[in-house]
Amino acid sequence: MKAAPFAYVRPSTLPDAIAELASTDGGGKVIAGGQSLVPVLAMRLARPETLVDINSVAELDRIGTAGGYLEIGATVRQRRVERDPVSAAVPLLGMALPWVGHRELRSRGTVCGSLAHADPAAELPAVACCLNAELVVTGTGGARRVPAREFFSGAMTTALGPSDILTAARFPIAGRGEGFGFAEIARRHGDFALAGVAARVRVRGAETDAELTGFGVSDRPVTCSAGGELATALSECGGDVSRLASTLSGPLTAVAEELVDTDGDAHASRDYRRRLFRTLASRELSKAYERARRSAGEVNP
Amino acid sequence: MTTAPETTDPLAQKGKPRPIKAGVDDLVEVRMTVNGTPAVLSLPARVTLADALRDHLGLTGTHVGCEHGVCGMCTVLVDGQAARACLLFAVQLDGADIVTVEGLGRPDDLHPLQEAFGRNHALQCGFCTPGFLMSSYDLLSTKPEVTEDELPEELSGVICRCTGYRNILTAVRETHEAHPDGIPAPGNCAHRALVGRATGQGGGSTDGREAGEDTAAEGTRRIDIVLPDGDPTIAVDIETEIGVPVDAVWRVFDDVHLLARCLPGAELTEDLGEDHYGGRARVSVGPIKLSFKGVAHVVAHDRAGQRLRVLAQGQDTGGAQTQADIVLRTEATATGTAMRAEAKVYLTGRIAQFGRALAGDVSRRMFEQFADALREAATSGQAPSGPVKAPSALKLLFAPLIDRIRTALRRGRRTAR
């Protein structure tokens, strides 16, 4: 399976890249790592007229913290994020990255590329939604920041316009009292998830917050609107972690009903995915809660 | 057309892809280092790294399976990290450093991972082996703290259809245990000639010149033959006794045309001056028939020191390339002349796919034929009747085998006693 012929442009500045993309009149596609795009090209599911390779745009190759965010440029490889100590500022990213494809794919695949590709079963869009990261979108009219929960509009569909480039992703740095959990079930490690969850819990004195995002269960990463109920269930256990599973069971059944809306496929039915989701969510919320309490100093590390 | 800035040094831009704009039908120039050798390619943008390595550089060790990133057969190292060669367009890798399974170890000095795979029967059909070797090399070199329990997950990026996973895991575990602080670097990365199967494509030699231009279609140009730095594909060191005096042997060496006619399948076509000669050589082994066109350069013709050294380079139409460094030494003996030939032969392209042991046998057989012809020429003072025939298919193929069977039988008999 070979890609159909395409024109190839490798500009060295961001304005040039946007101009090249705009000049293709919708027939262009941005390539950075290409680990999601090339299979689609090889199977000829997509036949862009022009590929705009942004790897020579120096300003997109940066990773660092600023203003409470970890900012990752468009050409930063997943494996670099995984290994860079600066990523420790966003623990959920560190938990999710080992699940993204295989090492061989993470060597080339980029964080922003995975977000822009917006596969509903992919890990990084779920992380972005769970943390409500800011996605920096640059187009002919300049740059704008789109909250992750508004960025994904459907399977492989995003807020990106035909001449927009996702130039950076900004993940909020974890504060004191925050804990995270991440897990997925796939047929083989590294494959797309049948179902997966990303969880974030914050404990501040008597107050507990929870965010839970599911992926592989709908046409986009979905974040539950019942965070309050989950937080209540978590705080009800009164620090007794062994009771968490039973207190979470009720609210999670409702959350699974709400979030898991896929019709199912050859690999797993909707009901099976709901059960997977409930089990994973219960487990990861509990872990996140424990980590949050430890981070808040309520239990000894 | 490409608008890449011209540079004389292929490594000047190393690590940084140069800006480029290419239309749908344009070829894009790519400069990368493959197994330590700088290569310059001109490719359509849609050619993957896997295809560039196999078809344009003749490195068929990188296997192609699913071509969409699932199976992992094509795993190579890109700038030191394992990556799927089928999920990368070669044009994206301008300035990159690639290591394929060919660069991992030498035939006579395998990488510890290769040794362990062989020892543990972790190869089975061998199709996934390059992928597993490169993936596990990457794992053990970048994550030396990996635990045994993590191995199955860490190696899940490559699929073995023979389901040889147990043996593969054992091989990787053993290598890890033997090298707890990190495994040795790839052992076969050096400058060498790279020539692919597609016409007009090739890896550049050190000066970035494409190998294809060395033997232009019309006529032969005198060139400086630059041998690769790496180990030769075949090393021949043979001694034979010729029943004629040293002087008579050197009379043949003095006459290059006479000497060439003693070489099996060889023919001198042009005298290019300054001890450079254009010529042809035909070799046929079984169904494989190669016709090389190339240049020979007599670098040393030292009668007093009894040493003759010739460098040769040839290329066949199919893209196979051979380079050789041949030294002939003579020494007077009671019965005539002892002649010793040392040859380092570098093969690339499809010819290099042969079993090296057999290729060595064929070379030895050719040398024996040469010695016979030399004896005849030295005795009669003229060329053997007609040019010595190209080594014939069946004879060449079977003679080494028969030799081996005889040796084996002799050994067998000895043990039987």
Side-chain angles (χ1 to χ4, degrees), chain A residues 156-256:
Chain A
M156 297 178 169
T157 317
T158 64
L160 288 170
S163 54
D164 284 338
I165 297 176
L166 176 60
T167 43
R170 290 158 54 82
F171 295 90
I173 291 172
R176 188 178 153 84
E178 284 193 74
F180 304 89
F182 187 96
E184 69 175 50
I185 298 289
R187 295 181 66 83
R188 166 178 72 146
H189 177 89
D191 287 357
F192 280 116
L194 294 178
V197 295
R200 168 175 169 270
V201 173
R202 187 169 54 198
V203 176
R204 199 179 287 155
E207 213 180 291
T208 303
D209 285 344
E211 313 262 12
L212 181 67
T213 301
F215 59 100
V217 296
S218 185
D219 66 341
R220 71 193 88 171
V222 277
T223 306
C224 76
S225 56
E229 286 166 43
L230 293 174
T232 312
L234 286 169
S235 42
E236 265 174 15
C237 80
D240 181 1
V241 182
S242 59
R243 282 177 55 202
L244 269 178
S246 58
T247 55
L248 282 172
S249 158
L252 276 179
T253 306
V255 170

Side-chain angles (χ1 to χ4, degrees), chain B residues 9-317:
Chain B
D9 178 3
L11 293 181
Q13 308 266 338
K14 187 171 164 59
K16 280 185 213 142
R18 298 159 297 164
I20 241 167
K21 185 165 180 158
V24 177
D25 301 320
D26 289 346
L27 298 180
V28 184
E29 188 188 84
V30 191
R31 292 167 180 233
M32 49 192 178
T33 308
V34 182
N35 297 335
T37 306
V40 184
L41 298 171
S42 190
L43 301 162
R46 63 170 171 153
V47 172
T48 63
L49 174 62
D51 288 340
L53 290 171
R54 291 179 57 87
D55 296 342
H56 298 270
L57 295 174
L59 295 169
T60 51
T62 300
H63 289 170
V64 173
C66 69
E67 294 198 281
H68 64 274
V70 175
C71 73
M73 304 300 113
C74 62
T75 303
V76 297
L77 302 181
V78 177
D79 291 330
Q81 291 188 358
R84 300 255 202 269
C86 74
L87 288 190
L88 293 168
F89 293 119
V91 294
Q92 289 185 282
L93 297 165
D94 198 42
D97 184 29
I98 315 288
V99 177
T100 68
V101 71
E102 286 94 341
L104 193 58
R106 296 203 303 257
D108 55 343
D109 184 16
L110 293 176
H111 191 271
L113 267 171
Q114 292 171 311
E115 292 279 2
F117 268 62
R119 198 168 51 238
N120 289 290
H121 184 49
L123 299 113
Q124 303 212 5
C125 83
F127 192 69
C128 70
T129 307
F132 266 114
L133 286 171
M134 301 320 276
S135 178
S136 50
Y137 174 80
D138 168 271
L139 174 67
L140 298 185
S141 60
T142 59
K143 197 179 174 185
E145 74 279 9
V146 68
T147 64
E148 189 182 341
D149 290 347
E150 290 169 332
L151 284 181
E153 200 168 284
E154 288 288 356
L155 294 175
S156 60
V158 187
I159 293 173
C160 167
R161 278 173 240 236
C162 312
T163 66
Y165 298 106
R166 289 270 159 212
N167 300 340
I168 292 165
L169 291 172
T170 309
V172 177
R173 197 198 64 223
E174 270 186 15
T175 314
H176 186 223
E177 281 166 3
H179 303 272
D181 303 321
I183 53 168
N188 196 23
C189 290
H191 287 192
R192 74 197 68 227
L194 292 171
V195 178
R197 300 182 292 182
T199 46
Q201 296 289 347
S205 51
T206 40
D207 57 359
R209 176 189 62 206
E210 286 199 23
E213 69 190 57
D214 290 346
T215 47
E218 67 289 336
T220 314
R221 287 180 301 116
R222 192 200 309 163
I223 54 155
D224 283 328
I225 299 166
V226 182
L227 294 171
D229 294 339
D231 284 354
T233 319
I234 305 162
V236 185
D237 186 352
I238 301 161
E239 261 190 86
T240 187
E241 183 71 27
I242 303 180
V244 288
V246 170
D247 270 0
V249 172
W250 274 88
R251 273 200 297 277
V252 181
F253 284 4
D254 290 345
D255 182 347
V256 177
H257 291 270
L258 184 57
L259 180 65
R261 295 192 71 181
C262 298
L263 282 166
E267 195 183 340
L268 267 194
T269 52
E270 275 172 283
D271 187 338
L272 302 166
E274 292 180 31
D275 296 323
H276 282 73
Y277 302 90
R280 272 196 289 267
R282 283 169 297 129
V283 181
S284 59
V285 178
I288 295 106
K289 288 186 172 54
L290 298 169
S291 176
F292 288 97
K293 188 165 184 293
V295 181
H297 179 199
V298 181
V299 255
H301 188 276
D302 178 6
R303 191 168 186 149
Q306 305 215 48
R307 183 169 164 273
L308 182 78
R309 181 171 178 222
V310 181
L311 298 182
Q313 175 167 307
Q315 185 162 11
D316 101 318
T317 46

